[in-house]
Amino acid sequence: MHTLQEYVDSDGHFSLVRNFRLADLVTIMNGVCGSFSIFSSAQYLLTKDDDFLWWALALPLAGLMFDFMDGKVARWRKSSSLLGQELDSLADLISFGVAPAVVAFAVGLRTYLDTICLTGFICCGLARLARFNATVALVPKDATGKAHYFEGLPIPSSLGLVAVLSYWARQGWVEGKDGIPGGIMTLWGKSGGRGDIHPVSVVFGLWAAAMVSKTLRVPKP
């Protein structure tokens, strides 16, 4: 077990770069994957080219690969830092919070109430990551420093939702084709207004609640 190295502040123009470690560069690649997923979703909305949608769905998975690798590299190099811990959370928010929500919007969850559910999903992911950083020292650990469990669903679990969206895309169950499974319902007002919601968007809301849960404890493999 090794301690986190503190950030070394200096007046040098590239002091930030000098604080990077190899594992941090791997972490940044996680953020790169998430960012490209978001832009691919935007390209799909503009062009309706399915290739962009498939890239948007696949890139968060690539981000997960880098998320696994950064920890392995840090242990291999026996070098981890507070900067790396913060980078990891921010990259996770992009790849497993913002990117899945944006691709869900691209697939068809686009009503006002849908976007409220998706925004709640992102913000709960943000809160969950902040809680992790604030409480990581309090969670019981084994002799190697590995935590016994996750408190609430870990944010990379959102790839389960991405997998469902991928299946929908393969079946053509997207906006502009066969439509979202479960259709759309109007809670108030006229159809096509702010009271419209796709019932499946509630799943994102439930997932969000599971991420910030205090009592849900997911054993670490």
Side-chain angles (χ1 to χ4, degrees):
M1 179 179 178
H2 52 277
T3 59
L4 293 176
Q5 298 182 21
E6 295 186 0
Y7 184 85
V8 180
D9 196 16
S10 70
D11 294 331
H13 191 68
F14 295 104
S15 60
L16 172 62
V17 176
R18 287 197 292 272
N19 275 275
F20 281 151
R21 287 159 178 78
L22 181 59
D24 299 338
L25 300 179
V26 176
T27 300
I28 288 174
M29 287 305 300
N30 177 11
V32 168
C33 290
S35 299
F36 271 110
S37 173
I38 294 167
F39 288 127
S40 295
S41 292
Q43 290 278 18
Y44 171 73
L45 287 169
L46 290 171
T47 65
K48 301 303 179 186
D49 185 337
D50 286 348
D51 286 345
F52 287 118
L53 180 58
W54 285 113
W55 276 111
L57 291 163
L59 284 164
L61 178 60
L64 183 66
M65 303 301 178
F66 287 110
D67 192 39
F68 283 150
M69 286 173 56
D70 62 7
K72 293 184 180 297
V73 170
R75 288 189 289 272
W76 167 53
R77 301 285 295 177
K78 296 182 179 179
S79 175
S80 55
S81 66
L82 291 171
L83 176 64
Q85 179 177 285
E86 298 301 324
L87 280 173
D88 187 65
S89 290
L90 293 170
D92 283 357
L93 179 63
I94 297 171
S95 291
F96 313 127
V98 180
V102 174
V103 76
F105 181 90
V107 164
L109 301 183
R110 304 175 191 172
T111 73
Y112 174 71
L113 293 178
D114 289 343
T115 57
I116 288 179
C117 291
L118 295 177
T119 300
F121 171 80
I122 294 171
C123 291
C124 285
L126 173 62
R128 192 245 184 261
L129 290 166
R131 182 182 65 185
F132 174 81
N133 285 350
T135 63
V136 64
L138 306 177
V139 177
K141 299 177 179 64
D142 60 22
T144 65
K146 184 177 180 180
H148 291 160
Y149 56 80
F150 293 109
E151 201 170 77
L153 276 183
I155 194 169
S157 67
S158 66
L159 289 183
L161 297 173
V162 174
V164 172
L165 295 173
S166 299
Y167 179 74
W168 289 1
R170 185 176 181 84
Q171 299 299 318
W173 299 340
V174 299
E175 187 72 24
K177 294 183 180 177
D178 294 337
I180 298 293
I184 192 170
M185 61 186 298
T186 302
L187 299 182
W188 69 79
K190 295 180 180 180
S191 178
R194 289 198 164 194
D196 286 359
I197 186 171
H198 290 91
V200 293
S201 67
V202 175
V203 175
F204 279 85
L206 295 174
W207 210 279
M211 286 195 291
V212 296
S213 171
K214 173 69 177 175
T215 56
L216 176 61
R217 294 181 175 179
V218 181
K220 276 195 153 186

